[in-house]
Amino acid sequence: MSQSAPDQYIHQRAVFLDRDGVLVRAMIRDGKPYPPVGLDDLEILPGVADALWRLHEAGYLLIVVTNQPDVARGTQTQAMVEAQNAAMRVILPLDDVRTCYHTDSDGCSCRKPLPGLLLAAAQECHIDLASSYMVGDRWRDVEAGLRAGCKTIFINYDYRESLRCRPHAQVVSLAEAADWILTQRHGYSDRDSDWK
């Protein structure tokens, strides 16, 4: 007779992270962020490694969930995206990197703002989504996190696009996002959001 998984495998906490603009520097053109083109363009943002180590040491799984539609559009290769992800994992304490290569027209469930990447990770890794966080720099990240049932943190770079839903907190860097998450974890969940 099969038994359900022990409790210790059901209550993992995770921080889901967008890639470009959160972990690595996005290339800004006309007020809109774009992913780095090659390995030479891949630059880990200041403070990211320290922020991730603090979250890792606090017991969070660190899972990247990234849209890379340029592969479907033919302007980037899947091999290059995977090489960038591999290079990033050498430097940063990441538990997993999950990538959607589709465009909106493909109608897949893994392309943010749909929560498919987060839900699949939660099922496979026994993550408690209500105790987890999604950190991103675009409305798609916030909406995906909310749809998955996570708390959401928006890193505001003043891109030329508006948020379509309200995050739980608004910050200016991953370091500040980590501070906010760790404050929540220690019981100060009534701290006001920086939303404006």
Side-chain angles (χ1 to χ4, degrees), residues 91-167:
I91 301 167
L92 303 174
L94 300 170
D95 294 290
D96 198 4
V97 178
R98 293 172 178 252
T99 307
C100 173
Y101 294 106
H102 304 107
T103 63
D104 284 336
S105 62
D106 293 322
C108 74
S109 63
C110 60
R111 178 163 165 78
K112 296 176 291 183
L114 295 179
L117 290 176
L118 289 78
L119 297 178
Q123 183 173 15
E124 292 172 30
C125 302
H126 308 287
I127 293 167
D128 177 7
L129 290 167
S131 298
S132 298
Y133 299 83
M134 174 72 219
V135 184
D137 64 331
R138 304 187 71 181
W139 69 269
R140 289 177 178 272
D141 305 316
V142 174
E143 189 167 324
L146 291 173
R147 289 185 181 193
C150 298
K151 297 178 184 71
T152 57
I153 304 171
F154 175 66
I155 300 179
N156 188 359
Y157 292 120
D158 291 322
Y159 297 145
R160 283 190 191 168
E161 62 180 23
S162 59
L163 279 173
R164 302 185 184 185
C165 47
R166 180 173 177 155

Side-chain angles (χ1 to χ4, degrees), residues 22-41:
V22 174
L23 303 180
V24 303
R25 190 175 302 281
M27 305 177 80
I28 309 300
R29 295 194 296 271
D30 297 323
K32 185 176 178 182
Y34 292 87
V37 177
L39 284 174
D40 290 342
D41 303 309

Side-chain angles (χ1 to χ4, degrees), residues 22-24 44-54 92-93 173-175:
V22 174
L23 303 180
V24 303
I44 304 296
L45 288 165
V48 162
D50 178 70
L52 293 183
W53 277 112
R54 288 191 290 130
L92 303 174
S173 67
L174 183 59

